[in-house]
Amino acid sequence: MKAFVSIIVPIYNSEKHLEQCLNSVLAQSWSDYEVILIDDGSTDNSREIYGRFLKLDKRFAAYHQANKGASAARNYGLDVAQGKILIFLDSDDVIFPTFLEHIVRCMDDGKDLVCFSSKKFRDRIQLTNIEDIRVKEYTPLQSIENLLYHKIPLSVTRAAYRRETFAQLRFMEDLYICEDVVMLLEILILYEGTIPFIETELYGYRIHKESITHYGNWRKKLTGLTAMEVMKDSLIKSNIYMEKAWISRCMNSMRLIYKTIPWKEREERDMIWRNIKQYRKTVMFDRQAAKRERVSAAVSLCGQSIFRLFLCMTEAVRQRTIE
């Protein structure tokens, strides 16, 4: 019998946090699910950890591939998943006990897509039962604007999908940053009808030094440049190009990339800096842009050294505000 929900979990050297992640799945109040574990060539003890869950619960299944990245692992998961509803869960994140229950209820109304908020954490998070949730609905155009301006935390792992959504879609495997944003944008462009956004935090998003989004291999982050161009092309082809919103998203990506490039790597650093200089004036005077992007754009007028120091300081502050 096919499971109603498929949870796809890419795994790569996740021994530090994998057990907590999978335990949060086992604790779900909704039980009709399967867990698709895609081992992306792990070299640590991840296999031993998820092996215990394979023996413990038949709803868990593992697949293996050579290291190709999260996009390839998610694509593998899409190929083997059997559920009517698909969810992507990162192996260092967690879900609250009533997460699946609320997702299924929201999609019972015939929705093909449900987005949800997340709670950032570092080490400690209390996974309590949440009975009541707040839900707000957006049109696809509003959701695209929210995605580009980063007004609400939208990404592939903060959404649930009908399996038909991916009938003709797959992740770009040559992208190592913003690949989830590229995919979600494609889904929103094609979507018809309103999209529920669960404002209540039901997903725990871990911030740590191994995360490629905030740290990671800086050379792989350069693929974010390609991701931004792919998004621009998609918006133009769909006749919904929001130039200022797209530029704001570019500034966000350039900032994330720039802060991790070693100072000695001048060629790549200057390449990103040229992009920042190109976009900063538009972002500074765009009242819809996030405050952090407008401030970053203004600080960049002081030059690379001051801008770099500013990014280091804001990162330190951000870390201290997360539990």
Side-chain angles (χ1 to χ4, degrees):
M1 184 176 177
K2 294 182 179 179
F4 193 74
V5 179
S6 292
I7 304 173
I8 299 172
V9 186
I11 298 171
Y12 178 70
N13 290 351
S14 307
E15 63 180 5
K16 289 184 180 179
H17 311 296
L18 183 58
E19 185 170 8
Q20 185 181 18
C21 170
L22 300 184
N23 275 330
S24 76
V25 176
L26 275 181
Q28 291 300 297
S29 58
W30 177 273
S31 61
D32 189 5
Y33 63 80
E34 65 174 357
V35 185
I36 308 296
L37 307 171
I38 308 297
D39 189 338
D40 188 38
S42 296
T43 57
D44 64 355
N45 291 323
S46 294
R47 188 166 187 169
E48 178 183 339
I49 294 169
Y50 68 70
R52 297 199 293 268
F53 288 84
L54 297 178
K55 295 177 181 178
L56 179 66
D57 196 311
K58 63 181 181 180
R59 292 174 297 182
F60 287 74
Y63 301 84
H64 306 85
Q65 66 177 24
N67 181 233
K68 298 179 182 178
S71 291
R74 287 172 181 149
N75 286 339
Y76 195 157
L78 288 172
D79 291 338
V80 299
Q82 299 292 314
K84 294 180 180 179
I85 296 174
L86 305 178
I87 294 171
F88 299 99
L89 173 62
D90 284 345
S91 60
D92 49 359
D93 294 341
V94 295
I95 49 180
F96 284 70
T98 52
F99 169 79
L100 289 181
E101 182 179 338
H102 288 304
I103 293 297
V104 171
R105 284 180 181 174
C106 284
M107 300 190 83
D108 272 348
D109 294 332
K111 299 295 184 182
D112 294 330
L113 174 66
V114 172
C115 297
F116 45 84
S117 185
S118 60
K119 178 180 178 61
K120 293 181 180 179
F121 74 104
R122 267 194 305 200
D123 300 313
R124 300 184 304 274
I125 185 169
Q126 188 173 2
L127 299 177
T128 57
N129 287 317
I130 298 175
E131 302 300 333
D132 299 316
I133 60 172
R134 301 181 308 277
V135 181
K136 187 173 182 179
E137 296 209 346
Y138 296 94
T139 66
L141 282 178
Q142 288 173 324
S143 297
I144 290 172
E145 188 175 82
N146 287 335
L147 176 68
L148 296 177
Y149 274 123
H150 221 283
K151 291 182 178 180
I152 56 178
L154 296 176
S155 76
V156 159
T157 57
R158 264 72 121 210
Y161 318 82
R162 295 280 178 190
R163 66 175 298 107
E164 293 79 12
T165 302
F166 291 95
Q168 304 297 325
L169 294 176
R170 287 296 185 270
F171 290 89
M172 294 181 63
E173 297 185 7
D174 57 346
L175 297 181
Y176 292 91
I177 185 175
C178 299
E179 78 289 344
D180 58 336
V181 181
V182 170
M183 173 58 80
L184 188 54
L185 177 63
E186 292 294 330
I187 292 171
L188 293 174
I189 287 173
L190 296 171
Y191 195 80
E192 298 179 358
T194 57
I195 303 165
F197 177 74
I198 301 174
E199 296 180 320
T200 309
E201 296 170 337
L202 298 172
Y203 185 104
Y205 173 55
R206 190 188 302 270
I207 304 295
H208 60 91
K209 290 187 176 182
E210 289 79 18
S211 170
I212 192 169
T213 303
H214 294 282
Y215 303 93
N217 186 316
W218 68 269
R219 292 191 183 278
K220 289 184 176 181
K221 282 192 174 187
L222 294 176
T223 60
L225 295 169
T226 302
M228 293 302 105
E229 291 303 316
V230 170
M231 292 172 66
K232 181 178 181 179
D233 290 344
S234 296
L235 291 166
I236 291 174
K237 289 176 182 177
S238 304
N239 295 316
I240 53 174
Y241 180 43
M242 307 173 182
E243 184 176 19
K244 288 184 178 180
W246 175 78
I247 288 176
S248 176
R249 189 75 203 202
C250 286
M251 177 61 80
N252 174 269
S253 297
M254 295 308 109
R255 178 171 54 81
L256 290 174
I257 296 169
Y258 185 87
K259 73 179 182 180
T260 55
I261 299 178
W263 188 256
K264 64 180 181 180
E265 304 292 346
R266 183 168 181 175
E267 182 178 351
E268 289 82 1
R269 178 164 51 83
D270 286 349
M271 176 179 63
I272 301 301
W273 183 248
R274 286 192 294 271
N275 281 275
I276 292 173
K277 290 172 65 177
Q278 178 183 351
Y279 302 138
R280 64 188 178 192
K281 184 176 180 180
T282 300
V283 174
M284 283 172 58
F285 295 101
D286 182 3
R287 293 187 177 182
Q288 291 198 72
K291 182 179 179 181
R292 63 179 176 274
E293 306 308 341
R294 296 179 68 187
V295 171
S296 295
V299 173
S300 72
L301 294 171
C302 300
Q304 290 199 53
S305 297
I306 298 298
F307 184 67
R308 181 92 167 195
L309 178 61
F310 167 76
L311 294 182
C312 292
M313 292 174 63
T314 54
E315 175 65 18
V317 172
R318 185 183 69 89
Q319 287 287 342
R320 284 199 296 270
T321 59
I322 300 171
E323 293 182 6

